[in-house]
Amino acid sequence: IVGQYYMKQIDTKICAISDELKGIASSLDIQYRSQTASLIESVYNISKFQMDILANEELRLRELDNIQELRKDCQTLLNQAEAKIEMLLASTYSNYDKYSSAVKELEKWVQYQTILLQVFAQINELDFALSMGAKSKEHCYGSFAIHTKKLDEIHTHMLSWHKEHCELLQIDVDSERRKHTGVIAKLLEKPIGAINEEWNYKSIDKDIVC
């Protein structure tokens, strides 16, 4: 009964995660996106056939082995997403167009990281449910804490990265605008400001503000 309860919860959550993946821009790397979709589908299939698996010892043990492989696949994809995010955050962009391009790329990989972390949690839940008391929940979750810690570290780094660029590129997020930059813009700043201060600024895209 406990096993069925966990499997049902996992089944529901995996469906929601799958919907999140569909919401990511289709311009993402096709191979990576398909690998993530395949991983989610595999986890979903295990959770869907809960009664068959729990009622058959041989099938249950086989799926437990399968879960270990899915865990490795998920961690590999998660490590790739984390590495991509860290690479983007390691760069400083003095040009607004390059910064906005990096922001869009960053958003995609952060979504991947979030989705894969959710899938990783459900894989661990499956491991716990199918172990039927042979392993503790702490044992099943294993290295999960490493990735949640990484998520927090990346979030903190991302906040300082955005703050640095807002100062460098003179971006006013609240007003959804940025100052014209460059040597000529700097020379004309005061004369233009004397006529109309708003002319020293340029609006920025709503998506970038978000």
Side-chain angles (χ1 to χ4, degrees):
I1 292 171
V2 172
Q4 288 178 40
Y5 168 78
Y6 273 103
M7 298 282 268
K8 181 61 179 175
Q9 294 295 313
I10 294 162
D11 179 59
T12 302
K13 288 178 182 177
I14 285 295
C15 286
I17 293 168
S18 183
D19 288 339
E20 283 186 54
L21 180 65
K22 291 173 186 173
I24 298 181
S26 59
S27 59
L28 283 169
D29 180 80
I30 298 300
Q31 183 181 359
Y32 190 92
R33 192 175 192 274
S34 63
Q35 287 175 332
T36 304
S38 179
L39 173 69
I40 293 173
E41 186 178 334
S42 297
V43 176
Y44 174 76
N45 285 338
I46 295 175
S47 64
K48 194 67 180 173
F49 298 103
Q50 47 191 295
M51 290 301 295
D52 294 341
I53 297 170
L54 292 169
N56 187 311
E57 183 67 4
E58 183 181 346
L59 185 57
R60 184 179 70 85
L61 294 174
R62 190 190 309 155
E63 291 297 6
L64 275 172
D65 288 337
N66 190 24
I67 284 169
Q68 306 317 314
E69 292 303 314
L70 291 175
R71 178 185 277 120
K72 289 177 186 176
D73 292 342
C74 186
Q75 284 181 290
T76 298
L77 290 167
L78 191 50
N79 285 331
Q80 288 175 12
E82 290 166 352
K84 185 67 177 179
I85 294 168
E86 288 175 331
M87 184 184 76
L88 288 165
L89 293 178
S91 300
T92 301
Y93 303 93
S94 56
N95 177 285
Y96 175 78
D97 289 336
K98 290 181 179 178
Y99 167 67
S100 62
S101 179
V103 168
K104 291 173 183 177
E105 187 73 7
L106 189 61
E107 182 191 12
K108 295 173 187 177
W109 288 103
V110 167
Q111 287 183 66
Y112 262 137
Q113 182 192 27
T114 304
I115 286 173
L116 287 164
L117 200 57
Q118 292 178 67
V119 175
F120 194 18
Q122 296 314 306
I123 289 171
N124 294 329
E125 287 289 318
L126 270 176
D127 192 17
F128 178 66
L130 292 179
S131 294
M132 297 177 74
K135 292 192 287 187
S136 67
K137 203 161 193 176
E138 290 74 17
H139 184 184
C140 293
Y141 267 75
S143 61
F144 184 73
I146 294 173
H147 293 282
T148 54
K149 182 182 178 184
K150 177 68 72 174
L151 181 74
D152 291 338
E153 290 173 352
I154 284 174
H155 178 70
T156 301
H157 188 183
M158 195 155 38
L159 288 176
S160 61
W161 184 81
H162 279 301
K163 184 178 180 181
E164 177 189 350
H165 281 88
C166 282
E167 292 173 355
L168 179 65
L169 301 171
Q170 300 184 68
I171 297 171
D172 185 345
V173 178
D174 295 329
S175 300
E176 300 182 8
R177 66 183 189 178
R178 64 184 176 91
K179 248 186 180 179
H180 288 291
T181 55
V183 178
I184 296 175
K186 199 69 180 174
L187 290 171
L188 297 176
E189 182 180 349
K190 287 185 178 179
I192 289 175
I195 302 170
N196 189 337
E197 178 64 23
E198 290 295 319
W199 292 352
N200 280 318
Y201 294 89
K202 183 178 182 179
S203 63
I204 55 178
D205 190 75
K206 284 271 187 184
D207 290 340
I208 298 298
V209 172
C210 291

